[in-house]
Structures are given as C-alpha cells and as structure tokens.
Amino acid sequence: MFVGVVTVLLFFSTASTVAQPDLLQTQLDTGSVRASNVSSCPGYRLQQLQQTSTGLHARLTLAGPECNLFGADIHDLSIDVTYETKTRLHVKISDTANKQYTIPKSVVSLPDPPKASFKQASDLVFNYQPTPFAFWITRRSHPWGAPLFDTRISSLPRTPIAAANGTIALDGFPLVFEDQYLQLTSALPLGANIYGLGEVVSSSGFRRDVDQTVQTMWARDIASPVDENIYGSHPIYLEHRFDQNSQTSSSHGVFLFNAAGSDILLLTPPKAKSSLIQYRLLGGILDFYFLSGPTPMNVVEQYGELVGFPTWQPIWGFGFHLCRWGYHDVHETKAQVENMRAANIPLEVMWNDIDMYHAVRDFTTDPVTFPESDMKAFMSELSANHQRYIPIVDAAVAKQVNSTDFYDPYTSGAEKKVFITNPDGSEYIGQVWPGYTVFPDWFVNNTQQWWTDALRNWSQVGVDFSGIWLDMNEASSFCDGSCGTSADLSNTSVPFILPGAPGNPVTDYPECYNAALFGPSGNITVNGTFTCQPATSSLSKRGMGAGKQSGVNLNTPPYAIHNGNGRLSEHALATNATHVDGEVELDVHNLWGLMEEKTTHLALLDILPGKRPFLISRSTFASAGKWTGHWLGDNFSLWSYLRYSIQGVLQFQLFQIPFVGADTCGFRLTDGNFHFYFWPTIDGNTDEELCNRWMQLAAFTPFYRNHNIKGAIPQEPYRWDSVANATRTAIAARYSLLPYWYSLFADSSTRGTPPVRALFFEFPNQPELFSVDRQFLIGRDILVTPVLEPNVTRVTGVFPGRGSVIWRDWYTHDVINPSKANGTLSLSAPLGHINVHIRDHSAILLHAQPAYTTTETRQGPFSLLVSLDAQARASGHAYLDDGESYPPGPSRTLAFQSEPGVVKITGNGSFHVDQKLAQITVLGLWAKPHGVSLNGKTVTGWQYLQAQQKLVVGNLAGDLNGALTLQYW
C-alpha cells in the first residue's frame, strides 16, 4: 500500500516529456539545482590490449585533464570483453583499483565465465576505437547492418544541442567515469522500438517513447504515477528492428548490471538523424550484457539464462485471490469466504492486509480481532475446503517501545545484530505503520535464520500460511533519516490521516461516474438511469567494506537523478544508512526488496519443506523472478489503469518475473495531479462497470487478485450481480485453461519463455503490431481483446497474420473475418463478455469441468481443443505434475500432433495421470467425417457441427499415460 509523509515536490519530474533547460545537473545540500557541462570531460584512451581465448582485456586511461564533473575522475579503468555464449556478449568497464561498488554474487549470481571459446561462434562482435575510446556491437550474421549499440561520438547527433520547446540540452557525449557519476551514450535508430527499462507506468505504453523519456532507477514507495520511478529497477531493454527492404525484423537486448540510482534517457534531438540512449549513474561500474536474439522471444529467454529462470509456481497460485485493506477482524474475513461460496464465485486464496496485526507489528495477530484460536479454526476450515491463506509482511520491524514491551522479532533481532545501522553503528530507526521501526540488514549472516524463525513462530500460533505477501520493501520509511533516534518511541501514530477516517473521506469514483447524482453504490444504473455520464475525454570498496570512503557525498550525491520524491532519502531509508560490511544504502537501495524476497523464499522452503514457495512482492530487481511473483502495486480505480495493467504485465515478462497482475478493480483513486505525500481526499472507489470489465481482463493475466483500499466501498465480485456473472464466466474460462497456463509457466521456469506476449512477439514482421498493448497473447495461441473504456459495447481488435492465420472465437468456435486491409475487426462486447480468440495450428489441453477450486477442477477429466490451420495441421504440448512439489518431482509431458484425418497424443515422463481424457474437439474440418476411432476402436459418441466445421468426440475415457490416436475419415 502507498503511504507518505507531508512533502511537496518543488523540483524534478520524471515525466516522459521533461521541460527543463538542462538535465545534466547537480543537487546542492540546499536542494537547489545547478547545471553542469560534460564537454570539458576528456574521455579515455585504450592501452595494453591483450587478446584472450574468450575475448580481450585492456586498460583505459584518462585522455586529458580531469573534469571532476560530479566527483573525482577515475584515471585508470579496465575493460574486459567476454564472448560468454553464442548469443551473449559481456562488456565490463570497471575501475582498476576495484573501489567502486559491484553487486555481490551472493545477491545476484550470474553465470561463471565460460571455459570454452565462443569468440568466433558468437553472432555478436565487439568493435572499438582506441582514442577517444568508444565501442560498438555488430552482428556477425549481418556485418553491414547498423550497429546494435554504438558509443562513437561520430555516430551520435552533433553537439551542443540547445534546449528548445521543452527539449533536453546536450553538450557532449564523452565517456565519463567518476566515483559518483558515470555517463555513457549509444546511438539508436531514429524512432527505435524500445521495450523494458522499468518498472514504470508509461504514458507511451509498452513501447517506450524515444523522443524524450527519463527513466529513473530508484525504488520508490508511490502509488503508480505515470512516467515516474516506482517500486522496482530493471535496467534491461529489448530493441526490435524492422528492415523495410527485406520486410524482416530482428531483436536484441541490452542489460546494464548495476544497482546504482540512475537516469536512463531515451532522446531524439530536434532534426537529428538518430535517437540515443544515455546512462547516467550515481556509482558502480559499466557492466553490460548484450543478447543477440534475434527474435523477441529469444531475447527474453537469453535474459533468463543470464539472471535465472522464474521460480516454479504452485498450481493453486493460478486460482482467484481476494484481499482488502479494511477487513476489521477474522469474522469479517471469514464472511467473505462464505459470501463468495454462497454466490458460487470460485475463491482459491484469502488474504489479509495489516488489519490482522497487533499494534501493526509484523508476525503478530491482534488478540481481540484476530485471536489465535479463531485464526486456527479459520485456517482449518480453509484447508478442508481446498483453499489457502496468505498474510502480509511489511518491510519494517517495530522498535521495542520500553523495557516492559516484549516483541520477540525485535529483541531477538537486536541480539543477533540483524538491523541496519547509522554510520556510527547505532540502530537506524525510521517510521512506518507500527511507529518507530528498524530494518533488516540482509547482508548479515544471521538474518536468514532470524527471519525464518520469525515466520515459523508466526505459523505455529495460528497463521497457517501457504505463501507470503511482501509489501513496503523499497524499503519505505515515513520520515527522513533516523528519525527515531532520541525520539519518544511510545508515539506510534503515523504522520497522515488514513483513508476513510474522519477528515479524509473516500469520495471519488472512476471517470464518468457521478456520485453527486447517483449516490455511493457504484451501480451501473440508478432508478433506470445509466450512471456513466459523458466525460470530457473519450471513453575500501564502497559497499564492499568501505562505507567510510572519504570524499564521497552519501546524503546528497552531486548528480541529482530524477527521483519523483526529490531527495533520495525522502520516503525511504537515508542513503548513509549502513550495512554490516560497510555497504551504504546509496549503493544497495535498489537491492533491498530482492534480498528480502530471496531470504523469504528460502525461509518458506525451510518452514514448508517440499512445497513451492509462493511469494508476491512489490519492489524487485534483476533476478527477482527466481524468488517471487509481483503485483503492480497500488493502482487506481480508473479506466486508464485498467489499460496500464496490460503494459505492466508485458513489462514483467521481459524482466523474467512472469507471475504478475494488477489489483483488480483498482486499489484506490487519485485526481491524477497530486504531488503531496500524505493522504488528502484523493482516495476513491471503483464502480460496477469498471469492476465488471476488470474482473474479466484480470482472469487472463497470471496473478488474479481483487484488492481494495480501506474506507472505499466494497468491491468483492459478489457485490453486483453483473460483476458476479462476469466473474463466474471468466473464472470458468481461466480454470479450463489451467493446464495451458501451467505448461506455459513450466516453459518459463525451464527456458525463460514468456507466458504472456505482446502481439509482435509472435508476429515480429508486422510493424503495425509494434505498439499494440491494448491486446495481448497468452502463450502462442490465445488472443485477448478486452474492453478498456466505459459505456461501450463494442471493441476493435487487431488479428495478426495478415490473413494467413485463422482466428476462432473461444466461446462459439466461429471463424472470424477481420479486414483484409489492416487485420482489424469490430467485435461485440456487451457488459460481462470479454473477447477471446484461438489461433489456428493449436492443440490445447483443457480441464473439461471447471470447479470451485483448482484442486476440485484438477480432479475432473481433461479435454483437448484442436484448432486446425488451412493445411489441416495443429500441434501443442502440456506439462503435468503434482502442482506443488519443490523441487519439481515426477512429471509427464504430452505432445499433440494433428495431421489430416488424425490427432496423435504421445507422452513421456514417470508422473501418473489419474484423470482421463473425456473429449476431443477438432475445429476446421470442412466436411463431416464418415467415422471416428480411438486407438483403432470405433467411436460412436461424436457429433459434427457444420457452422463451425467442428468435430466433437465425447465419452472417450482416454488414458493419458499411454499413446492415443484419434482418426476420422
């Protein structure tokens, strides 16, 4: 959840278009900003080149007088180039003295250097010029093509470039490498197709705006503003290039392995013949990995090979989850479970927010509202009904108030010295929900055991959790600095009014709903009148032991990145907060959430042995998908955020954190213009129409949870009949598709293949798809076209393939006929209906009888849906196992192959499939068969529907532990 202290942002905006005279600036202690000029910086010259079997090594020395722009120039650098695989090239530029912060292998473990040589086999080629040093990356397979990455000044726009009409001034592009500022610039094709560089809610969509974007990397607790830094940092981008001459495309990826606060600029100077990307970093080294693709899917998979593939998800995680901040007690929580069942709306997992805590303290339950005995009974009831429970864990741990206060997570942690300190070694004391708090130091060896013990003790006193929800882990603090030092620790209030409390009513609603006319229900109609009214718009090494490094400004780094909160310590830990080995928060801030996720994942493996850890977390960094899933944070009950949720899901597929979803129906509401970090009257409610459409859309995203803010009107899906009906239909489709979802995530955990895909991922040679993010694909075969605007009953969909692909309606199996000119089609979309289409040449294993829970659904039979292409062919696969063992135990992989007149099912693996295959449906048969057989035995229970060219063969009882062959003639 979003919180904040009362601070007005007087400077900085990270909006996509930034109207400032010059972005190259420094922040003084007073908070003022001054401009600086890089044109005096000399760059570097390459010397002492040594070729190696895997690449090269050389020295870089400063090529002229120091410029000392934002710190001290580092005279001696090393460059190491390693051809790590055929598709991955590593270019590392570091200080020879090795004093700059580098990410420890204990935090992010990247592959070891190769033993074999890929120098000649790699499709990527490193090129360089010695003075001034610059490098560029080309493809061996396309040697005359434009470089993929090019730092030569001759390739970049001519400077100086004056600021005009809100553009960004640029005075030069030298390589700058200082102790507190690094800068590197690469040319991009004019108007390049860039994806990634997050986390961000981008006004330009999944495809980033390369005209003038400032992407700031500084983890920040903020309720999802547009074009500003938010919870996570992922300095990876995918570029997709289309060759007009050959009408073909290729993709590549660029990953900067650096956790420092930074600005990454995507710019196109006026009248320039190229665009550019510029990195501006507060520290660390320039540690680049280049991924050759050449398809978008290849790039994502290659990034997974580098940072690690996503964790295996338990199959129950794909069920529907319900939560809100504001369930007062265990009885109100339990009532939601009962009400959902009474409404026959499937509920898999019940969650609680901080309401459950005693004194808002982690690892506790309130003895009055969530007593231990009632919690144990509630947990037992959920388990008996094949349902599960997930509680919240906030990042900060309450500081013990006085000698009579007993709170073991704090006292045991203090004894083990597991908390972050001030530079003088005293406890760093911030302020979060329970009042004054301390923060775990994940670098301390004892922290893992202490954290595991705290979670285990909690589970043993009634909170029988199946997974954990990690929140506020940027890490967030409501005050600036160690504000609890010498403070009155008994003051446990927070410095703002909570939503729904007196003085801060929740009064706003989504676009087009007028509560002044129609009251607080959020209904679509009141007294027969539609409540959606026309709107104004259409619908020592620093951090490795040398936190005391002299001459370094930890609190106000000379270069001011465009942190949306202003100073880096606002609403966060102070940048001079110190970790056990001397790491300072300035260097490791962006790693805090990742390290908590890894620690919690390992703790759950200890507490729930043999079970897959289920985690949902807010702040993430590269490799976090190995440990956790993600929700898109505190979004708003607005139609625009329904749209933004799609680009958010697509972003995290690229980041290798594929298990992701938004707070369905919206968490809160804002006027869109506030810049105050407290709780003014900006919180709001969803309404029936928005919630209806969102419950449908979210059913086709990996993580499916309805989450609501304290004080807002209730938004559980049973609250409105239309929402209840839409939800039942959407969940039935979702649970039918569970084998398909599960197989996609098995592919993700073994190969890094993204389960959810932008349309151009599957159709990379169609430029008209490069910016489409109002639709998406689940895997290769399922196209989702949601309604994203109020008060409409039709939606226009793009159907890729340019006529070469047959798309069929998920519900009716009818073939659709999009426009031959542009592949679009206007689709009927009455309230309660989301358009879903099946691609041809697909064979999808389904659950034939969706039930109330995933457990009950999986106990029923399977069916197979085959959608033939124009040559009467199709293929697919499915991965089956017990759905929860870790590491994954026995499994069975089924392969489906359809040729004219035959559907073959083969399998391998030792997992025994108890459920039978009850039905096979084949779409695309132009004529009614004369007969059907299964494994040579005549089948009589079949029917043919001419309108859909559909053969339905039922009552099969096919054994999926052996081969099956369906023939028709």
Side-chain angles (χ1 to χ4, degrees):
M1 63 193 64
F2 160 75
V3 294
V5 294
V6 183
T7 303
V8 182
L9 297 188
L10 299 176
F11 55 88
F12 301 149
S13 168
T14 50
S16 218
T17 301
V18 185
Q20 290 182 241
D22 193 331
L23 282 184
L24 195 56
Q25 55 196 9
T26 181
Q27 181 177 337
L28 305 179
D29 288 345
T30 60
S32 62
V33 175
R34 71 169 182 238
S36 296
N37 192 312
V38 300
S39 61
S40 63
C41 296
Y44 288 80
R45 64 170 60 93
L46 184 140
Q47 297 177 326
Q48 301 178 26
L49 176 65
Q50 300 174 355
Q51 295 288 344
T52 68
S53 62
T54 58
L56 63 85
H57 170 81
R59 299 285 294 276
L60 299 176
T61 57
L62 204 63
E66 300 173 352
C67 65
N68 296 329
L69 192 65
F70 297 116
D73 281 282
I74 297 177
H75 285 251
D76 296 311
L77 306 178
S78 297
I79 178 168
D80 292 279
V81 177
T82 309
Y83 293 89
E84 294 196 343
T85 71
K86 292 181 180 180
T87 60
R88 185 173 73 236
L89 174 63
H90 184 192
V91 177
K92 184 170 87 169
I93 303 174
S94 58
D95 58 312
T96 304
N98 199 27
K99 291 184 178 180
Q100 293 288 100
Y101 182 77
T102 56
I103 301 171
K105 202 171 183 66
S106 61
V107 178
V108 181
S109 179
L110 300 186
D112 292 327
K115 296 180 180 179
S117 176
F118 295 95
K119 201 169 181 177
Q120 302 303 319
S122 172
D123 190 39
L124 298 175
V125 179
F126 175 83
N127 311 273
Y128 65 92
Q129 69 180 30
T131 306
F133 170 73
F135 71 93
W136 62 101
I137 309 299
T138 55
R139 284 191 190 275
R140 193 181 305 274
S141 58
H142 195 195
W144 305 114
L148 308 186
F149 196 84
D150 190 351
T151 70
R152 290 174 292 183
I153 293 175
S154 61
S155 301
L156 292 159
R158 294 184 63 181
T159 57
I161 300 168
N165 299 322
T167 59
I168 296 170
L170 299 166
D171 44 49
F173 301 117
L175 169 61
V176 180
F177 202 118
E178 299 177 346
D179 57 357
Q180 287 201 274
Y181 184 73
L182 285 70
Q183 179 176 305
L184 183 76
T185 311
S186 171
L188 292 172
L190 189 66
N193 301 303
I194 300 292
Y195 308 87
L197 298 178
E199 180 179 5
V200 66
V201 178
S202 172
S203 60
S204 67
F206 182 47
R207 181 179 181 270
R208 304 304 302 273
D209 173 20
V210 297
D211 288 337
Q212 193 164 214
T213 286
V214 181
Q215 179 61 53
T216 298
M217 300 293 180
W218 188 257
R220 175 179 174 223
D221 173 8
I222 179 68
S224 301
V226 177
D227 293 324
E228 297 185 10
N229 58 306
I230 50 176
Y231 314 110
S233 294
H234 295 275
I236 163 86
Y237 73 84
L238 180 152
E239 185 191 341
H240 188 65
R241 297 187 181 181
F242 181 73
D243 186 326
Q244 290 285 357
N245 295 323
S246 66
Q247 294 290 295
T248 60
S249 65
S250 63
S251 290
H252 66 274
V254 180
F255 172 50
L256 175 60
F257 186 46
N258 185 308
S262 61
D263 287 336
I264 302 177
L265 280 54
L266 296 170
L267 305 175
T268 306
K271 299 181 180 179
K273 296 182 180 180
S274 67
S275 301
L276 62 89
I277 182 169
Q278 185 173 90
Y279 296 86
R280 299 175 174 182
L281 311 165
L282 294 184
I285 64 174
L286 295 170
D287 198 3
F288 283 100
Y289 289 85
F290 299 95
L291 311 170
S292 70
T295 71
M297 299 277 282
N298 293 153
V299 172
V300 179
E301 291 169 339
Q302 290 157 14
Y303 183 58
E305 291 173 358
L306 177 62
V307 299
F309 297 140
T311 183
W312 285 83
Q313 294 295 335
I315 197 165
W316 56 263
F318 294 94
F320 175 64
H321 304 243
L322 182 62
C323 181
R324 85 165 294 172
W325 181 22
Y327 290 142
H328 172 70
D329 56 31
V330 65
H331 303 294
E332 186 178 0
T333 306
K334 182 180 177 182
Q336 309 313 313
V337 179
E338 295 168 346
N339 293 342
M340 290 287 287
R341 188 171 288 274
N344 194 31
I345 302 174
L347 173 62
E348 187 78 12
V349 189
M350 192 68 207
W351 297 49
N352 271 125
D353 210 310
I354 59 174
D355 314 275
M356 69 180 298
Y357 288 153
H358 177 51
V360 209
R361 292 179 168 187
D362 280 343
F363 314 116
T364 66
T365 57
D366 189 280
V368 176
T369 56
F370 289 84
E372 179 181 326
S373 58
D374 288 356
M375 287 296 288
K376 285 184 176 179
F378 181 39
M379 300 295 103
S380 296
E381 186 174 321
L382 287 173
S383 179
N385 290 320
H386 309 297
Q387 294 170 300
R388 301 176 189 262
Y389 179 78
I390 293 177
I392 193 169
V393 173
D394 273 343
V397 174
K399 167 75 173 175
Q400 184 171 287
V401 173
N402 52 46
S403 59
T404 62
D405 179 23
F406 180 74
Y407 177 50
D408 182 71
Y410 171 76
T411 55
S412 62
E415 179 183 341
K416 293 178 171 64
K417 300 186 183 300
V418 301
F419 300 126
I420 293 172
T421 68
N422 293 305
D424 64 4
S426 61
E427 279 184 344
Y428 182 96
I429 306 174
Q431 186 181 32
V432 195
W433 294 114
Y436 292 108
T437 57
V438 292
F439 299 84
D441 181 357
W442 309 112
F443 289 97
V444 176
N445 290 333
N446 289 337
T447 305
Q448 179 69 66
Q449 189 59 54
W450 164 78
W451 190 252
T452 302
D453 289 343
L455 285 165
R456 178 182 287 108
N457 292 341
W458 200 26
S459 71
Q460 291 174 347
V461 294
V463 184
D464 187 16
F465 51 74
S466 296
I468 293 293
W469 171 22
L470 299 174
D471 196 10
M472 309 286 287
N473 57 347
E474 288 70 32
S476 175
S477 179
F478 301 165
C479 65
D480 191 353
S482 188
C483 58
T485 301
S486 303
D488 176 10
L489 298 179
S490 65
N491 179 6
T492 59
S493 62
V494 292
F496 43 80
I497 305 173
L498 295 179
N504 189 21
V506 178
T507 59
D508 289 330
Y509 284 78
E511 306 99 318
C512 91
Y513 186 91
N514 190 333
L517 291 177
F518 300 109
S521 70
N523 292 343
I524 292 176
T525 59
V526 172
N527 297 326
T529 302
F530 281 101
T531 56
C532 180
Q533 300 300 303
T536 56
S537 60
S538 62
L539 292 171
S540 48
K541 288 179 286 183
R542 186 162 128 238
M544 294 290 285
K548 302 179 179 66
Q549 183 178 359
S550 62
V552 172
N553 187 338
L554 297 177
N555 293 322
T556 52
Y559 175 73
I561 64 172
H562 288 69
N563 179 32
N565 285 354
R567 292 177 63 248
L568 300 183
S569 60
E570 285 287 348
H571 208 57
L573 304 188
T575 45
N576 68 347
T578 306
H579 298 256
V580 64
D581 291 327
E583 295 98 337
V584 290
E585 186 67 12
L586 177 64
D587 290 323
V588 302
H589 172 78
N590 286 334
L591 301 174
W592 204 95
L594 165 66
M595 297 184 73
E596 183 193 37
E597 290 144 16
K598 179 179 180 181
T599 304
T600 308
H601 183 105
L602 296 176
L604 292 185
L605 283 176
D606 194 329
I607 298 165
L608 303 171
K611 304 296 184 184
R612 296 173 196 174
F614 182 88
L615 293 178
I616 294 294
S617 180
R618 195 168 70 179
S619 182
T620 57
F621 185 73
S623 81
K626 290 173 62 175
W627 316 109
T628 187
H630 174 67
W631 98 103
L632 295 173
D634 297 350
N635 62 0
F636 303 117
S637 299
L638 292 168
W639 289 88
S640 57
Y641 277 81
L642 174 63
R643 296 193 299 273
Y644 291 143
S645 70
I646 299 175
Q647 62 161 277
V649 170
L650 292 174
Q651 274 183 40
F652 277 84
Q653 307 305 301
L654 197 161
F655 300 154
Q656 285 291 341
I657 311 175
F659 194 79
V660 60
D663 278 348
T664 304
C665 299
F667 178 65
R668 59 194 301 248
L669 193 144
T670 174
D671 63 7
N673 297 308
F674 76 98
H675 285 286
F676 300 88
Y677 288 87
F678 63 107
W679 290 95
T681 309
I682 57 172
D683 299 296
N685 308 283
T686 192
D687 68 9
E688 181 180 358
E689 185 182 8
L690 176 61
C691 197
N692 187 305
R693 296 299 192 186
W694 212 326
M695 287 297 296
Q696 298 170 65
L697 168 60
F700 293 90
T701 62
F703 176 49
Y704 187 20
R705 183 184 70 165
N706 182 312
H707 183 215
N708 193 8
I709 196 172
K710 189 181 184 74
I713 65 171
Q715 65 182 41
E716 295 84 7
Y718 64 80
R719 298 287 180 174
W720 298 280
D721 286 345
S722 76
V723 179
N725 289 332
T727 303
R728 291 186 200 102
T729 301
I731 292 180
R734 181 182 181 89
Y735 284 17
S736 292
L737 282 164
L738 277 177
Y740 183 69
W741 274 114
Y742 193 65
S743 300
L744 289 171
F745 271 81
D747 292 343
S748 179
S749 295
T750 53
R751 296 195 299 274
T753 309
V756 182
R757 301 166 195 174
L759 272 56
F760 82 91
F761 273 39
E762 286 289 335
F763 299 89
N765 297 327
Q766 292 186 228
E768 65 271 24
L769 303 178
F770 293 171
S771 61
V772 172
D773 59 8
R774 297 169 70 95
Q775 297 170 267
F776 57 94
L777 287 159
I778 304 173
R780 173 196 175 278
D781 301 323
I782 302 295
L783 175 64
V784 182
T785 308
V787 170
L788 303 173
E789 296 171 345
N791 202 23
V792 298
T793 56
R794 299 195 71 82
V795 62
T796 298
V798 177
F799 289 86
R802 294 177 174 174
S804 65
V805 175
I806 302 169
W807 294 96
R808 296 180 170 96
D809 187 281
W810 163 263
Y811 308 96
T812 66
H813 296 160
D814 289 338
V815 173
I816 60 99
N817 296 294
S819 164
K820 292 183 180 179
N822 56 20
T824 63
L825 183 66
S826 176
L827 302 165
S828 176
L831 192 70
H833 177 73
I834 182 170
N835 278 279
V836 182
H837 291 85
I838 312 159
R839 185 176 177 179
D840 68 3
H841 198 89
S842 62
I844 303 173
L845 188 69
L846 304 171
H847 286 306
Q849 299 170 3
Y852 193 79
T853 65
T854 61
T855 298
E856 294 161 299
T857 297
R858 296 176 69 223
Q859 291 171 350
F862 289 105
S863 64
L864 181 66
L865 178 62
V866 179
S867 182
L868 299 176
D869 62 17
Q871 289 73 45
R873 301 178 188 279
S875 63
H877 74 280
Y879 173 92
L880 301 172
D881 65 11
D882 68 9
E884 62 179 1
S885 293
Y886 190 87
S891 64
R892 185 165 181 80
T893 299
L894 303 176
F896 313 115
Q897 193 69 38
S898 185
E899 307 287 342
V902 63
V903 177
K904 295 182 179 180
I905 303 174
T906 57
N908 63 77
S910 60
F911 178 73
H912 188 272
V913 182
D914 294 328
Q915 298 77 20
K916 302 299 183 181
L917 180 67
Q919 180 176 290
I920 297 177
T921 300
V922 182
L923 307 177
L925 293 184
W926 298 104
K928 181 179 180 180
H930 298 291
V932 178
S933 67
L934 181 68
N935 284 0
K937 295 182 179 179
T938 299
V939 176
T940 57
W942 61 273
Q943 58 178 324
Y944 178 77
L945 290 81
Q946 180 65 53
Q948 291 82 31
Q949 298 97 42
K950 177 165 66 174
L951 171 66
V952 181
V953 185
N955 301 317
L956 290 179
D959 185 358
L960 291 172
N961 298 291
L964 295 173
T965 300
L966 181 80
Q967 292 180 294
Y968 46 91
W969 59 91

